[in-house]
Amino acid sequence: MFLIRRQLATKTQSACSGANIAGVTLNLCHKRLSSSSFHTAAGKTMKRLDGKVAIVTASTEGIGFAIAKRLAEDGAAVVISSRKERNVENAVERLRKLNLNVTGLKCHVGESQDRKRLFEETIRAYGKLNILVSNAATNPAVGGVLECDESVWDKIFDINVKSSYLLAKEALPYLRQAKDSSIVFVSSIAGYDAFDLLGAYSVSKTALIGLTKAASKELASEGIRVNCLAPGIIKTKFSKALYESESANEAAMSKIPMGRLGTPEEMAGIVSFLVSDDASYITGESIIASGGMSGRL
Ligand code: NAP
């Protein structure tokens, strides 16, 4: 007989129940915790990402920062990166002040030397890699898809799509060596239903949903899972134009059934779930987190 005691993060206060299923006694305790954790049979408290090593790109602010913070809170060692050294230093300092196990370095995802160093430094610091979160994106110009200059199109596809594919490809040798490894691409609700003024950007985000499906099929038999997060409108610097002015905010709110913008922290929890063993049978999926905005491919 196994005694399994799990503490699961919920929004309510402590409530425990016991159940006997096919001779296995389960004691399920639901308790509010800042991150998901559980007790082993030996009574040791474990966090759900304990022992895992994660790279999160574009993680010095916004959604990437919140993902890095959450993965570290859930027990992972996390490598922070973005284009600017100073931003990396600030982000690492903020997270270390919270006693989180993070390190960081400059990595512009479009620079092959930077990506190479990102993997080398991760292995040097932590000896392995279990989790890749590809989060960087750019949108240098607004406008409809067929108004887009070729140079802008190339930039968007280089950063948003090609860098994500290259990061995944370059991470593979390490992910193959580690057990229970996974990749998460950060797409967008705009990838399902193109935003009027974000034509080329929207198409690039659709491509990431395709990349998720294609890569997940190739890697499923090796136990490497590939999933995708598609945020709605989240309050960050990147989306400022969609909520800063009164008229833009009104237009955004009219599209969101829940009547509010999302937060980076709400995106982070989903990624933490997707890379955890709680999602061990999920691959090739994209989770839309958009306050009810819908889209379909
Ligand atoms: P954000 O708050 O503006 O943060 C952007 C982060 O990316 C910063 O840390 C920035 O740091 C870094 N960065 C930018 N270009 C980079 C590059 N080429 N290489 C490496 N790092 C880079 O943006 P966000 O809103 O969190 O967006 C993150 C992801 O979510 C993007 O993929 C975006 O498309 C997606 N998304 C956002 C929303 C939204 O409403 N906010 C909605 C759907 C999807 P440095 O300046 O130091 O490089």
Side-chain angles (χ1 to χ4, degrees), residues 66-106:
I67 294 171
K69 178 169 179 276
R70 178 61 190 264
L71 299 191
E73 284 170 351
D74 286 348
V78 180
V79 182
I80 308 284
S81 63
S82 79
R83 292 167 302 180
K84 297 177 196 122
E85 196 97 53
R86 187 80 204 110
N87 290 347
V88 175
E89 284 166 11
N90 283 340
V92 167
E93 198 183 314
R94 281 174 66 194
L95 294 176
R96 283 193 179 155
K97 273 191 186 149
L98 301 171
N99 283 325
L100 297 174
N101 186 6
V102 300
T103 188
L105 73 160
K106 173 195 162 296

Side-chain angles (χ1 to χ4, degrees), residues 233-254:
I233 306 177
I234 311 305
K235 196 164 187 182
T236 68
K237 208 150 93 181
F238 190 76
S239 59
K240 248 186 188 167
L242 298 176
Y243 64 82
E244 222 176 21
S245 73
E246 208 172 303
S247 59
N249 192 53
E250 232 171 70
M253 288 310 144
S254 72

Side-chain angles (χ1 to χ4, degrees), residues 56-67 80-88 91 106-111 114 134-139 155 159-160 163-164 167 185-191 195 198 201 204-205 208 229-240 242-243 261-262 264 267 289:
V56 184
T57 65
S59 46
T60 56
E61 66 183 300
I63 295 170
F65 180 80
I67 294 171
I80 308 284
S81 63
S82 79
R83 292 167 302 180
K84 297 177 196 122
E85 196 97 53
R86 187 80 204 110
N87 290 347
V88 175
K106 173 195 162 296
C107 174
H108 183 319
V109 297
E111 303 286 340
D114 280 9
S134 177
N135 171 63
T138 190
N139 183 51
K155 178 81 185 163
I159 299 301
N160 302 8
S163 300
S164 292
L167 279 161
F185 295 112
V186 178
S187 173
S188 169
I189 183 71
F195 280 20
L198 302 177
Y201 168 85
S204 76
K205 291 297 186 177
L208 289 179
L229 168 70
I233 306 177
I234 311 305
K235 196 164 187 182
T236 68
K237 208 150 93 181
F238 190 76
S239 59
K240 248 186 188 167
L242 298 176
Y243 64 82
L261 302 177
M267 303 302 106

Side-chain angles (χ1 to χ4, degrees), residues 120-133:
E120 285 171 356
E121 286 299 308
T122 301
I123 299 304
R124 199 186 56 74
Y126 296 120
K128 63 172 182 169
L129 175 68
N130 305 90
I131 296 163
L132 170 69
V133 181

Side-chain angles (χ1 to χ4, degrees), residues 9-263:
T10 69
K11 282 185 181 142
T12 52
Q13 76 273 32
S14 201
C16 296
S17 62
N20 191 303
I21 302 167
V24 178
T25 301
L26 300 172
N27 270 339
L28 297 172
C29 296
H30 300 272
K31 192 174 183 184
R32 180 163 169 68
L33 296 171
S34 61
S35 56
S36 299
S37 65
F38 58 92
H39 285 166
T40 62
K44 199 174 162 225
T45 302
M46 297 279 294
K47 293 180 174 179
R48 72 174 173 190
L49 301 181
D50 268 350
K52 300 213 177 192
V53 176
I55 285 176
V56 184
T57 65
S59 46
T60 56
E61 66 183 300
I63 295 170
F65 180 80
I67 294 171
K69 178 169 179 276
R70 178 61 190 264
L71 299 191
E73 284 170 351
D74 286 348
V78 180
V79 182
I80 308 284
S81 63
S82 79
R83 292 167 302 180
K84 297 177 196 122
E85 196 97 53
R86 187 80 204 110
N87 290 347
V88 175
E89 284 166 11
N90 283 340
V92 167
E93 198 183 314
R94 281 174 66 194
L95 294 176
R96 283 193 179 155
K97 273 191 186 149
L98 301 171
N99 283 325
L100 297 174
N101 186 6
V102 300
T103 188
L105 73 160
K106 173 195 162 296
C107 174
H108 183 319
V109 297
E111 303 286 340
S112 64
Q113 276 309 314
D114 280 9
R115 292 194 310 270
K116 188 165 180 284
R117 240 170 37 91
L118 179 65
F119 293 114
E120 285 171 356
E121 286 299 308
T122 301
I123 299 304
R124 199 186 56 74
Y126 296 120
K128 63 172 182 169
L129 175 68
N130 305 90
I131 296 163
L132 170 69
V133 181
S134 177
N135 171 63
T138 190
N139 183 51
V142 291
V145 64
L146 299 180
E147 290 163 3
C148 182
D149 277 352
E150 189 178 344
S151 61
V152 171
W153 177 277
D154 285 345
K155 178 81 185 163
I156 288 175
F157 274 75
D158 265 358
I159 299 301
N160 302 8
V161 185
K162 190 172 171 191
S163 300
S164 292
Y165 134 77
L166 286 172
L167 279 161
K169 189 178 164 80
E170 290 157 3
L172 256 190
Y174 307 108
L175 297 176
R176 282 189 167 123
Q177 277 168 27
K179 269 191 74 190
D180 304 329
S181 50
S182 76
I183 299 172
V184 172
F185 295 112
V186 178
S187 173
S188 169
I189 183 71
Y192 287 83
D193 196 2
F195 280 20
D196 292 348
L197 292 175
L198 302 177
Y201 168 85
S202 300
V203 181
S204 76
K205 291 297 186 177
T206 310
L208 289 179
I209 299 164
L211 178 60
T212 301
K213 285 176 189 274
S216 67
K217 280 188 188 154
E218 279 175 33
L219 298 176
S221 63
E222 297 184 56
I224 301 172
R225 298 180 301 104
V226 186
N227 290 297
C228 181
L229 168 70
I233 306 177
I234 311 305
K235 196 164 187 182
T236 68
K237 208 150 93 181
F238 190 76
S239 59
K240 248 186 188 167
L242 298 176
Y243 64 82
E244 222 176 21
S245 73
E246 208 172 303
S247 59
N249 192 53
E250 232 171 70
M253 288 310 144
S254 72
K255 288 195 213 162
I256 308 171
M258 283 181 75
R260 66 169 177 88
L261 302 177
T263 67

